[in-house]
Amino acid sequence: MRRVVVTGMAGITPLGANWGDIRAAMHEGRTGIKYIEAWDKLTDLKTRLGAPADYFEHEKIFPRKQMRSMGRVAAFAVRSAEEALSQAGLLDDPILKSGRTGVAFGSSYGSTEPTKGFVRFMETGEATGLSAMSYIKMMSHTAVINVGIFFGLRGRVITTSSACTSGSQAIGYSYEAIKYGHADVMIAGGAEELCPTMAIVFDTLFATSCKNDAPQTTPQPYDQNRDGLVIGEGGAALILEEREHAIARGAPILAELVGFGTNMDGSHVTDPLAETMGGSLTLALNDAGLAPDAIGFVSGHGTATIQGDIAETKATSAVLGADMPIHSLKGYFGHTLGACGAIEAWLAIEMMRDGRFAPNINLAKVDERCAPLDYITGGFRAIDAQYVMSNNFAFGGVNTSLIFRREP
């Protein structure tokens, strides 16, 4: 089997668009959670909290002609891919248009603004505000299509709109595409924009944090006093490449992707099952040919919801043991939905390369219903991890696990 390495990675988060800025914010104990005043008019929405990447002015990123088909979701995806390709040294490489470079990208939904026009049309019959590009911006595969068109890609295309596993499945399926010879290079990632429609989904499930007067204290993954999640936005992209191809052109090798597992619970749309969650971790370990004790650190999903946190930690502890170090980054960025798997994989690699892992912010006392694990608190923890695992779980019981190896 062909080996798959990471040669570029980049992203946009509520705390910044490069690892240096994000790391500095984490060291200072800052988060991207804010009170969203624009949501005050939404009287039936209980939460007023979100994690915007408000410095990212998506309509000004590219020339107007290139932006015609891009909403905010697509702009997150294309900009992340552009920066990652630049790091990989592939931005102007002929391989992009050779048919041997593909793309896998996902989001929970496309951009929501055009939806208003379609609703207005259905209610009134008037198409005011709709254009030829409205559906392209709104469609669930807007990210993958816009990335492909922007860079002129002609290879394999994989659309992964699977909610919170969109980004991690995109990375995993890209890994398989290269591993089995269907591509030499894949652009993989996820993107999501902040929208109150995303918040109301969880609001109706009583799963959003309503600590509206104290944004910096929430969400609280794994904590006994957590009251729910906070929606965030952003995007990230990894450039995956066949290892010999990367070596031949002298590319930077940032990590190796060695294992991928995905499955589904097949039992309930919103109540996760620890047994099958753990099965996805085991699938990734088996794919990598690793024993559980080879994993040095786990980047957890940790949404700060009761059912999710409990099931995830039970699965993780059962497969990897009670001493496994773990954190969730959602205390810093909120839940970026379709983007979280890509953002968390990117930052897991950055921390593995640094040998220092961020703590769980806002975690004061672990919920006794969560399984025993080494929940990192306080400051950054020095860990010499050769392998890190990044896990994500989505509505419908979709489970994913990725394992990265540190490049010597």
Side-chain angles (χ1 to χ4, degrees):
M1 295 296 178
R2 302 186 342 148
R3 294 170 65 180
V4 182
V5 296
V6 181
T7 56
M9 50 191 187
I12 299 150
T13 79
L15 285 179
N18 64 76
W19 173 227
D21 289 346
I22 296 167
R23 179 175 51 198
M26 289 177 165
H27 271 291
E28 294 170 11
R30 290 190 285 115
T31 81
I33 315 302
K34 296 180 179 180
Y35 185 100
I36 310 297
E37 294 182 359
W39 292 0
D40 283 343
K41 64 182 180 182
L42 305 172
T43 54
D44 286 343
L45 182 67
K46 295 183 287 295
T47 187
R48 294 291 186 271
L49 301 175
D54 45 16
Y55 60 89
F56 184 77
E57 299 180 86
H58 71 277
E59 294 177 338
K60 300 178 181 179
I61 296 299
F62 304 112
R64 184 171 180 175
K65 184 177 180 180
Q66 292 178 311
M67 288 296 302
R68 287 182 66 248
S69 63
M70 290 189 214
R72 190 165 175 82
V73 168
F76 277 135
V78 175
R79 174 57 95 188
S80 297
E82 183 179 46
E83 294 294 326
L85 283 168
S86 178
Q87 183 182 32
L90 289 171
L91 200 53
D92 299 310
D93 197 291
I95 196 172
L96 293 184
K97 299 181 180 181
S98 69
R100 296 296 297 170
T101 297
V103 56
F105 237 93
S107 59
S108 295
Y109 195 77
S111 289
T112 52
E113 186 65 27
T115 308
K116 297 178 183 177
F118 287 101
V119 172
R120 189 183 305 113
F121 168 71
M122 292 175 67
E123 292 181 341
T124 69
E126 299 176 0
T128 305
L130 291 178
S131 73
M133 292 294 108
S134 295
Y135 175 69
I136 306 303
K137 294 178 180 180
M138 183 185 76
M139 64 189 187
S140 59
H141 61 302
T142 188
V144 74
I145 294 304
N146 274 286
V147 169
I149 291 172
F150 191 89
F151 298 107
L153 308 180
R154 298 179 180 179
R156 177 156 292 210
V157 57
I158 306 169
T159 62
T160 57
S161 291
S162 57
C164 318
T165 55
S166 299
S168 48
Q169 282 198 324
I171 294 168
Y173 293 145
S174 292
Y175 156 77
E176 290 182 338
I178 296 172
K179 182 177 180 179
Y180 295 112
H182 302 299
D184 293 323
V185 177
M186 291 289 293
I187 303 170
E192 205 79 72
E193 66 181 40
L194 185 65
C195 180
T197 60
M198 307 294 185
I200 195 65
V201 168
F202 294 95
D203 227 39
T204 59
L205 293 168
F206 304 99
T208 52
S209 176
C210 294
K211 296 180 180 180
N212 296 325
D213 295 331
Q216 290 294 301
T217 68
T218 191
Q220 298 170 267
Y222 314 127
D223 192 274
Q224 67 173 358
N225 293 318
R226 66 196 179 288
D227 72 330
L229 57 78
V230 175
I231 297 297
E233 69 173 353
L238 269 60
I239 307 304
L240 303 184
E241 190 169 350
E242 192 274 321
R243 187 171 184 271
E244 294 307 314
H245 183 274
I247 291 173
R249 66 180 189 86
I253 295 179
L254 307 175
E256 182 176 2
L257 178 48
V258 297
F260 170 53
T262 187
N263 64 8
M264 68 179 300
D265 294 347
S267 61
H268 196 279
V269 291
T270 58
D271 192 9
L273 193 61
E275 180 183 356
T276 39
M277 282 177 153
S280 68
L281 276 61
T282 300
L283 286 170
L285 287 168
N286 291 342
D287 186 44
L290 295 174
D293 61 6
I295 304 300
F297 182 83
V298 171
S299 176
H301 191 59
T303 59
T305 58
I306 293 173
Q307 293 94 332
D309 285 3
I310 293 173
E312 175 196 352
T313 57
K314 285 183 175 179
T316 306
S317 184
V319 175
L320 300 176
D323 295 329
M324 181 57 60
I326 187 172
H327 72 195
S328 167
L329 294 181
K330 292 182 178 65
Y332 296 96
F333 306 128
H335 193 346
T336 56
L337 302 175
C340 73
I343 290 173
E344 290 162 10
W346 162 40
L347 297 182
I349 294 170
E350 295 282 16
M351 293 183 202
M352 177 174 63
R353 287 166 56 81
D354 283 355
R356 296 179 61 80
F357 294 83
N360 291 282
I361 198 166
N362 297 327
L363 177 55
K365 185 176 182 181
V366 176
D367 186 340
E368 63 183 13
R369 293 168 294 180
C370 289
L373 289 164
D374 181 5
Y375 299 91
I376 297 180
T377 58
F380 272 62
R381 171 91 62 86
I383 300 175
D384 183 22
Q386 185 178 4
Y387 296 95
V388 297
M389 176 183 280
S390 183
N391 299 326
N392 295 105
F393 311 101
F395 271 0
V398 185
N399 310 310
T400 62
S401 180
L402 299 165
I403 300 175
F404 296 96
R405 184 183 70 86
R406 186 180 68 211
E407 189 68 15

